[in-house]
Amino acid sequence: MTVNSLPVRTDTPVRTPAPKPSRTGRRLLRVRAGRQHHAGPLAYVLLAVMAIVSIFPLYWTMVAASTDNTRVSQTPPPFLPGPNLFHNLARAWSEAAMGRAMVNSLIVAGVIALSTVLFATLAGFAFAKLRFKGRNILLTLVIGTMLVPPQLGVVPLFMMMSELGWAQQLPAVIFPTLVSAVGVFFMRQYLAEALPDELVEAARVDGAHSLRIFWSIVLPVARPPMAVLFMITFVHAWNDFFWPFVVLDMTNPTVPVALTQLSAGYVRDQSLIMAGALLGTLPLLAMFIVFGRQIVSGIMAGAVKG
């Protein structure tokens, strides 16, 4: 049989290239695509309202701290700053021993934040990428501790600190909170998605042990959530009042404990209390101004990861 004798199919559809859009159509597509990235007037109005609502408590604290107690108690209250801001700040600094309190809070919050980030990242890497017996049971127990109210452990924890001789000392505040279950779960969830298994296996083939993998591979990948976790933990430790108030005294306080001295007395000076609260808030504002870009980029990196 020759080639010419083969049947030839004439019903095969012929694919024709799709027509290219005209210049006007391409311009319309670009305009429509660009409009998807611009917010409307309503979005800007909502953002402005949310910004005002978020900033107003801080503004009111500054207004109350800049007036006297009589003016703060009047109806309607003042809405413009007064002339006594620096005077009240100086009084609060001296009467509440804010210098010693801020140093203590910086030590406590810094150590707790650094240890939480380190231990939570280690535990998160282990739960996410390492295979060992009882991994799921241990992770369930860690998550289960989040359901236990911390107030239930105050009495035995205080007895333990007293037996160790740490009562009225900063280690009594630091050691019970060196790591948190929330931080472990947060880092585990991020590393389970962001760190490919193939990358860990390739490092194993090259002869790297677990600590080497953690130092050379996990830490660079986990920098964005570590920055977020550090900031959240630092703010929480700085503002923590209940446990430091129980285990510390007024001779060695943190900032929230020191502020209780300003409310002592028969008549509370609200302007002085607000001045102390403003002093305790300024370090957090300074930290957010300095590290705000890294924190926001860390949040966005976790939000857009897919």
Side-chain angles (χ1 to χ4, degrees):
M1 181 179 298
T2 62
V3 177
N4 295 331
S5 63
L6 293 177
V8 178
R9 296 183 61 181
T10 59
D11 57 345
T12 304
V14 179
R15 295 183 179 181
T16 58
K20 296 182 179 180
S22 61
R23 182 178 302 177
T24 305
R26 291 195 299 268
R27 185 180 303 143
L28 182 60
L29 290 175
R30 286 196 298 267
V31 171
R32 289 179 178 177
R35 286 179 180 177
Q36 297 177 0
H37 300 281
H38 294 281
L42 181 60
Y44 286 105
V45 172
L46 292 177
L47 289 175
V49 171
M50 293 180 63
I52 293 173
V53 172
S54 301
I55 296 175
F56 181 76
L58 181 62
Y59 175 76
W60 167 248
T61 302
M62 185 187 67
V63 171
S66 62
T67 59
D68 52 20
N69 197 32
T70 304
R71 184 70 180 93
V72 173
S73 304
Q74 290 179 355
T75 304
F79 288 99
L80 294 177
N84 300 328
L85 177 61
F86 295 101
H87 174 69
N88 291 335
L89 290 177
R91 286 182 55 200
W93 182 273
S94 60
E95 294 186 17
M98 291 296 292
R100 177 68 178 274
M102 283 192 176
V103 172
N104 289 344
S105 289
L106 183 61
I107 295 173
V108 170
V111 173
I112 291 175
L114 289 175
S115 64
T116 298
V117 169
L118 175 62
F119 294 140
T121 307
L122 280 168
F125 167 62
F127 284 126
K129 297 302 176 181
L130 300 184
R131 302 293 182 264
F132 54 91
K133 292 182 179 180
R135 183 184 65 167
N136 295 330
I137 297 176
L138 289 176
L139 181 60
T140 303
L141 291 176
V142 171
I143 298 175
T145 58
M146 298 165 56
L147 306 177
V148 180
Q151 291 80 6
L152 295 179
V154 169
V155 174
L157 189 58
F158 182 81
M159 295 174 62
M160 184 184 302
M161 295 298 106
S162 298
E163 291 294 331
L164 293 174
W166 289 349
Q168 287 81 44
Q169 297 182 17
L170 296 184
V173 182
I174 295 174
F175 277 88
T177 52
L178 285 178
V179 69
S180 64
V182 177
V184 172
F185 181 73
F186 174 69
M187 296 303 302
R188 186 265 174 192
Q189 292 299 106
Y190 184 88
L191 291 175
E193 298 293 335
L195 184 61
D197 294 335
E198 294 79 6
L199 192 60
V200 178
E201 293 174 359
R204 293 286 189 191
V205 171
D206 291 339
H209 50 80
S210 297
L211 290 179
R212 178 66 178 178
I213 295 174
F214 176 79
W215 180 261
S216 301
I217 298 177
V218 177
L219 287 183
V221 173
R223 284 178 182 175
M226 288 171 65
V228 176
L229 181 60
F230 179 88
M231 185 63 185
I232 294 175
T233 307
F234 187 92
V235 173
H236 181 269
W238 183 278
N239 294 328
D240 189 19
F241 171 75
F242 181 69
W243 176 241
F245 182 75
V246 171
V247 76
L248 298 179
D249 56 11
M250 293 302 174
T251 61
N252 195 30
T254 56
V255 169
V257 177
L259 292 179
T260 59
Q261 300 183 19
L262 301 179
S263 60
Y266 186 75
V267 178
R268 294 183 177 180
D269 192 341
Q270 297 295 335
S271 61
L272 186 62
I273 296 174
M274 291 298 181
L278 185 61
L279 284 174
T281 307
L282 290 179
L284 298 180
L285 293 177
M287 173 171 288
F288 187 80
I289 292 174
V290 174
F291 300 103
R293 186 182 300 273
Q294 289 79 2
I295 296 168
V296 173
S297 63
I299 296 175
M300 294 303 298
V304 302
K305 220 212 66 60

